[in-house]
Amino acid sequence: MLLSKGTFHISALWNTLSITRLFCPFNKRRNLTHLYLDEAALVSGQEALTEFIESLPSSKCQVQSLDCQPVNEQASQGQTTLLVAAGGNVMFERNKSRFFNRNFLLTAQASPNNNQPVWKIASDCFRFRIDLE
Amino acid sequence: MAYFNEDNHRIAPLHVRKHRGPYKGSSFRRDRQRGNHHGGFGGPGLLSRLVIDRDVTMSDSSQDSSSQPRYNPYGREFCKGDGRMDRDWRQGKGGGGRGGGRGAFRGGTRSRTGWFKITIPHGKKYDKKWLVPALQDICSIPYTPIQYHDDHNNVHFYVDDFTTASALRKCSRKVTDCDGYKVVVHIKRSDPPNFLFPNLKVEELEHLKQCMSKRFDGSQQALDLTSIHTDPDLVSQNIKVALNRKTNMEAVIKIIEENIPQLTSLNLSHNCIQRLDELSELVTKVPHLKALNLSHNDLKSEHELDKLKGLKLVELWLVRNPLCDLFKDPSSYVSAVCQKFPQLLKLDGNDLPPHIGFDVETPTTLPPCKGSCFGSDDAKVYIQRFLQQYYSVYDSGDRQSLLGAYHDDALLSLTTPYNVQNPSRSGLREYFKDSRNLKRTKDSTMRFHLLKHKRLNVVALLNELPKTQHDITSFTVDVNAYTNTLLSFTVGGVFKEVVVDDKSKESTRAFSRVFITVPAVNSGLCIINDQLFIRMATTEQISRAFVAPAPTPSSSPVPTLTAPQQEMLSTFSLKSGMKLEWSLKCLQDNEWDLNKAAQIFTQLKTAGKIPDVAFLK
């Protein structure tokens, strides 16, 4: 398949505490680095992931649409899993607003800190369009 | 009021009721009253009184460093003028008596003594000796026309304050000349008449230069021109320099430019400076200037500072200027000044909070673009195959056979962004009623309803959507997760809505679709979650899509078959009764071994594992 020009992809496994944090702009990501797990699909290892994310310019996301579906047990092997799909505009420093689509697979896992399970991001896929200069 | 009184005071000695005769006499007498001038119209006496006394304390040696306070930015009290004036005023000497009726005075710029140009249209024909007294007879205030001259047919002269000018204006059309015409008087605010400011002579300039060099501190690259007019060196030579005069200021700047252009600090306080027009040259001529002291001057508005824009000032003093008074509170004053000089760190001696900028270290380039990310080769194989099959059916016009692609318990939802700017024109109307956007749909019943559950409902919705043609070559695929039981991937690309009838239009859309699949028979994928996001395609996407001829729905996908393969395919299809796509899949799964494929097929068919849709009708 031919490449769709001007997009990038990041897929990783990382922790999160709540869904709202998923949409924090990239320039706040430094707060989240400690939340990264070791395994990562595209970028492996916490450090590499951190490094990759830190290499991204700061951004601001505006979420316009949000949808989610529960993932069938058969797929998730009994682990409560949620598919979250978001769409909207993202603005990087150069003041250009671009469409983005982002989807997450969230799974509930027992938390060592709490009695209640917490959501963790098993997958994060972020794509946006860049106009070719 | 203070202005008024002060003006009044200044007028009072001028007000020579006793000497009201032909004006040319009165100036001398006035001067004599003062007692300390040479007298003579236009001579140093009048000069100093009218101009210098008011603006600049010259003869008194009192250095003005701790001068009478001029303007307190945060208070209302002020005493304008030089020491002598103020003293007299406070002691009540002179004519403090004129009350409020003298015209619309405010405690602001209008009541400042300023020059006015009086124009008598067609006044050239009159004899000055007739005109001036004639007006004086009517004019309630005695006046002295300064620089009386004619210009074409008009006569002009200057008076140096508003009350006088205003009184003169009232005389308009009150005097009739011998021809029967009424004499008209126009008044207009103006710059001081330039005869008062002769350019400094060469020797004077030289003295000025010497004086300035004494005030220059080379180690700091700082020049202190505070109260330059009182400088003993200049005074002793009788050189009159006032930096509120254009020519003098220009001379000073020229000397700086020629001798010390690398100046970083300049003190211009106590110089009665009203305008910064000439100082705007500093931006280009003294570019390294970082500290500027304009305190204790006469700057009336913050807009004067705009003339200095471009100077990268780090330190600025503005205190004791009228402009400071115009701000409601200290913070709006500071804010306004900082806007003009963003790098300012100190204002009036106070440290400012550091300018908050953007973090320059953050990278501004995005990482290189990447295409599809499969993560692993076998995932890639599964997915590619899946997509080819899925979309060939999806685009075929009848999506019913997609039932076979979905799990019994499958879920499907569709999202279309609501175009806030242009809701009716977004062109995605067909999708709106089925669009599930949790940001917009708050009602839980609605939310439930929009999420299609069970494959029949799933396919029912898909059948309602417009007929499409996907450009598979435009797809990007990203694998989200890949486990034994789950393969989830996101597909992005464009498709066209095909024109079906008069009502439909060909539009290009962009989509992002998340498939969550579980393993199915024949190493296939079975969709268990399907989330479809559709938006308008960007113009760039439209121009790049469908560049290669899109595969027609019925044609076989990317791998072009060799002739023997094609033959095998048609044979197998015929024998099994399965549609081409399904036959192809079976053959591919079995490495194009016809017998093996047939065997597997039979097995599955017996076990009832092949969905009906696979078969040709």
Side-chain angles (χ1 to χ4, degrees):
Chain A
M1 292 173 202
L2 293 185
L3 301 184
S4 174
K5 291 164 195 166
T7 56
F8 81 96
H9 167 239
I10 161 186
S11 179
L13 291 174
W14 49 310
N15 282 346
T16 189
L17 294 178
S18 68
I19 293 182
T20 54
R21 294 194 84 175
L22 303 182
F23 299 109
C24 69
F26 276 124
N27 56 3
K28 284 189 188 161
R29 61 187 168 265
R30 292 191 186 101
N31 298 333
L32 299 178
T33 53
H34 66 283
L35 299 175
Y36 288 97
L37 274 183
D38 290 47
E39 302 156 357
L42 172 67
V43 184
S44 64
Q46 197 168 7
E47 286 167 33
L49 188 66
T50 311
E51 205 184 293
F52 174 80
I53 291 207
E54 289 200 9
S55 74
L56 296 173
S58 59
S59 67
K60 190 167 179 181
C61 288
Q62 187 195 24
V63 176
Q64 287 166 349
S65 69
L66 185 61
D67 192 10
C68 79
Q69 296 177 6
V71 175
N72 194 293
E73 293 181 324
Q74 188 175 338
S76 63
Q77 289 183 298
Q79 203 175 11
T80 312
T81 306
L82 205 57
L83 165 67
V84 177
N89 292 329
V90 64
M91 193 155 18
F92 291 98
E93 269 178 39
R94 239 174 291 156
N95 284 339
K96 226 176 171 182
S97 179
R98 298 160 175 147
F99 293 133
F100 78 87
N101 284 102
R102 195 159 186 188
N103 60 75
F104 302 91
L105 279 174
L106 306 178
T107 64
Q109 277 191 20
S111 159
N113 305 325
N114 281 340
N115 289 332
Q116 11 165 222
V118 289
W119 287 113
K120 287 184 182 170
I121 302 180
S123 147
D124 171 10
C125 178
F126 185 78
R127 279 220 178 239
F128 62 92
R129 291 246 142 236
I130 309 176
D131 293 328
L132 294 184
E133 333 252 1
Chain B
M1 280 92 47
Y3 285 126
F4 179 77
N5 283 336
E6 186 251 331
D7 287 344
N8 222 17
H9 160 71
R10 209 182 43 69
I11 289 169
L14 278 179
H15 180 58
V16 284
R17 287 196 199 275
K18 294 183 267 180
H19 311 285
R20 244 186 121 188
Y23 79 90
K24 58 179 191 286
S26 51
S27 61
F28 291 100
R29 265 165 251 172
R30 266 178 259 137
D31 289 338
R32 237 177 277 135
Q33 262 193 322
R34 280 285 184 175
N36 57 357
H37 298 294
H38 309 236
F41 177 71
L46 189 61
L47 188 96
S48 51
R49 187 181 54 74
L50 282 179
V51 178
I52 294 175
D53 280 3
R54 178 178 61 257
D55 293 345
V56 173
T57 306
M58 181 122 176
S59 38
D60 281 350
S61 59
S62 51
Q63 264 281 10
D64 254 2
S65 39
S66 56
S67 70
Q68 323 298 323
R70 277 192 172 235
Y71 293 106
N72 178 353
Y74 311 119
R76 281 275 129 204
E77 58 89 23
F78 59 82
C79 308
K80 205 192 68 62
D82 61 44
R84 185 169 35 167
M85 299 285 203
D86 287 342
R87 257 183 277 126
D88 287 345
W89 171 57
R90 276 186 233 121
Q91 288 167 26
K93 263 200 211 160
R98 304 239 175 144
R102 283 277 174 187
F105 270 15
R106 297 270 169 275
T109 60
R110 303 262 338 190
S111 64
R112 289 290 333 254
T113 49
W115 286 92
F116 283 83
K117 188 173 186 178
I118 315 297
T119 303
I120 314 288
H122 309 290
K124 188 172 173 181
K125 59 188 176 183
Y126 304 134
D127 183 352
K128 183 179 176 185
K129 287 188 206 152
W130 170 80
L131 178 62
V132 177
L135 287 172
Q136 187 71 87
D137 276 341
I138 315 234
C139 185
S140 51
I141 298 186
Y143 72 97
T144 306
I146 294 171
Q147 201 184 6
Y148 186 107
H149 63 283
D150 58 65
D151 159 32
H152 302 343
N153 286 326
N154 307 322
V155 150
H156 305 284
F157 59 87
Y158 294 86
V159 294
D160 65 355
D161 70 274
F162 178 70
T163 28
T164 313
S166 173
L168 279 168
R169 182 174 48 194
K170 289 186 181 131
C171 301
S172 186
R173 295 180 192 281
K174 299 250 172 81
V175 176
T176 312
D177 68 18
C178 38
D179 294 327
Y181 290 108
K182 296 201 187 292
V183 175
V184 174
V185 180
H186 292 305
I187 73 168
K188 186 175 152 185
R189 217 173 225 294
S190 88
D191 285 334
N194 48 22
F195 86 95
L196 289 172
F197 313 135
N199 280 344
L200 293 169
K201 303 187 199 82
V202 176
E203 338 46 284
E204 290 178 324
L205 279 172
E206 195 50 43
H207 277 110
L208 177 59
K209 193 163 143 189
Q210 301 284 342
C211 170
M212 280 169 68
S213 79
K214 277 194 192 167
R215 288 163 166 259
F216 174 65
D217 178 350
S219 64
Q220 304 285 328
Q221 284 295 322
L223 176 61
D224 184 2
L225 295 177
T226 307
S227 204
I228 185 87
H229 53 273
T230 61
D231 192 291
D233 286 351
L234 296 176
V235 169
S236 62
Q237 300 285 337
N238 211 19
I239 299 175
K240 295 170 183 62
V241 172
L243 289 185
N244 61 339
R245 291 182 210 156
K246 180 176 149 115
T247 49
N248 290 175
M249 179 62 94
E250 281 175 344
V252 160
I253 293 180
K254 187 156 179 233
I255 292 173
I256 295 175
E257 178 198 0
E258 284 171 359
N259 297 279
I260 42 170
Q262 64 278 27
L263 193 67
T264 60
S265 166
L266 178 60
N267 188 340
L268 292 170
S269 63
H270 297 94
N271 279 304
C272 309
I273 297 175
Q274 292 185 354
R275 306 232 286 239
L276 296 179
D277 297 68
E278 297 82 38
L279 278 177
S280 63
E281 306 223 342
L282 290 175
V283 180
T284 45
K285 293 183 179 168
V286 191
H288 302 291
L289 195 67
K290 293 270 174 284
L292 180 61
N293 188 335
L294 288 169
S295 65
H296 295 266
N297 274 305
D298 219 3
L299 299 169
K300 298 190 173 80
S301 141
E302 60 174 288
H303 300 297
E304 286 297 325
L305 295 171
D306 290 339
K307 296 169 190 171
L308 296 178
K309 258 190 184 159
L311 270 183
K312 297 187 172 57
L313 292 178
V314 163
E315 187 176 332
L316 178 62
W317 293 77
L318 283 177
V319 73
R320 303 298 164 84
N321 273 287
L323 70 88
C324 302
D325 248 349
L326 298 176
F327 293 93
K328 321 184 266 234
D329 51 56
S331 57
S332 40
Y333 162 66
V334 172
S335 174
V337 175
C338 285
Q339 273 190 351
K340 300 180 198 290
F341 303 104
Q343 281 128 334
L344 207 61
L345 292 177
K346 251 188 167 177
L347 177 60
D348 297 331
N350 299 318
D351 287 322
L352 296 172
H355 174 64
I356 300 172
F358 284 102
D359 186 355
V360 191
E361 283 107 275
T362 44
T364 51
T365 52
L366 295 159
C369 310
K370 292 200 168 115
S372 298
C373 169
F374 288 99
S376 77
D377 280 337
D378 45 336
K380 184 173 177 181
V381 167
Y382 285 128
I383 294 170
Q384 281 180 332
R385 190 164 58 193
F386 165 84
L387 289 175
Q388 284 153 20
Q389 291 166 357
Y390 185 90
Y391 279 101
S392 63
V393 177
Y394 196 88
D395 288 343
S396 69
D398 177 13
R399 299 184 178 124
Q400 195 61 29
S401 47
L402 287 176
L403 275 172
Y406 285 91
H407 192 277
D408 272 335
D409 258 342
L411 288 170
L412 166 71
S413 61
L414 156 70
T415 308
T416 303
Y418 181 73
N419 187 339
V420 182
Q421 282 103 19
N422 234 334
S424 60
R425 298 187 57 194
S426 67
L428 292 165
R429 232 168 297 147
E430 311 87 75
Y431 303 102
F432 280 163
K433 69 169 173 46
D434 296 304
S435 171
R436 187 171 190 257
N437 181 351
L438 301 181
K439 289 204 85 170
R440 295 189 63 83
T441 315
K442 303 293 184 186
D443 177 45
S444 54
T445 315
M446 198 58 190
R447 286 180 171 186
F448 180 79
H449 177 69
L450 287 171
L451 179 58
K452 305 300 172 188
H453 186 209
K454 302 272 182 217
R455 64 166 138 168
L456 282 173
N457 294 320
V458 165
V459 176
L461 171 57
L462 293 176
N463 270 326
E464 285 175 32
L465 300 179
K467 185 168 156 121
T468 58
Q469 189 183 58
H470 283 74
D471 179 9
I472 297 191
T473 54
S474 73
F475 285 6
T476 51
V477 177
D478 299 305
V479 170
N480 300 330
Y482 186 26
T483 70
N484 287 340
T485 55
L486 178 154
L487 173 56
S488 169
F489 51 97
T490 308
V491 184
V494 289
F495 66 88
K496 269 191 205 165
E497 281 171 18
V498 174
V499 176
V500 168
D501 51 32
D502 292 338
K503 288 182 192 159
S504 58
K505 282 185 290 187
E506 186 178 278
S507 324
T508 310
R509 316 287 190 201
F511 76 94
S512 173
R513 195 162 188 173
V514 184
F515 288 107
I516 300 181
T517 65
V518 292
V521 295
N522 301 337
S523 320
L525 299 175
C526 179
I527 308 169
I528 205 162
N529 284 87
D530 183 356
Q531 206 290 330
L532 172 58
F533 177 94
I534 296 177
R535 79 158 98 244
M536 298 292 286
T538 64
T539 35
E540 186 229 335
Q541 282 173 306
I542 295 174
S543 63
R544 291 182 185 280
F546 300 102
V547 169
T552 58
S554 58
S555 73
S556 127
V558 172
T560 42
L561 304 175
T562 62
Q565 281 177 333
Q566 279 179 358
E567 206 179 274
M568 196 184 291
L569 176 62
S570 43
T571 313
F572 189 79
S573 173
L574 208 58
K575 285 204 171 153
S576 63
M578 284 203 298
K579 290 180 185 169
L580 278 173
E581 305 92 67
W582 291 83
S583 307
L584 176 63
K585 179 167 170 281
C586 190
L587 282 169
Q588 281 173 333
D589 282 350
N590 294 287
E591 289 106 32
W592 293 95
D593 183 336
L594 188 57
N595 289 330
K596 188 173 171 206
Q599 239 179 355
I600 301 285
F601 167 72
T602 317
Q603 273 175 17
L604 290 172
K605 189 173 176 191
T606 322
K609 285 200 176 158
I610 303 182
D612 293 343
V613 294
F615 293 95
L616 295 161
K617 298 218 166 70

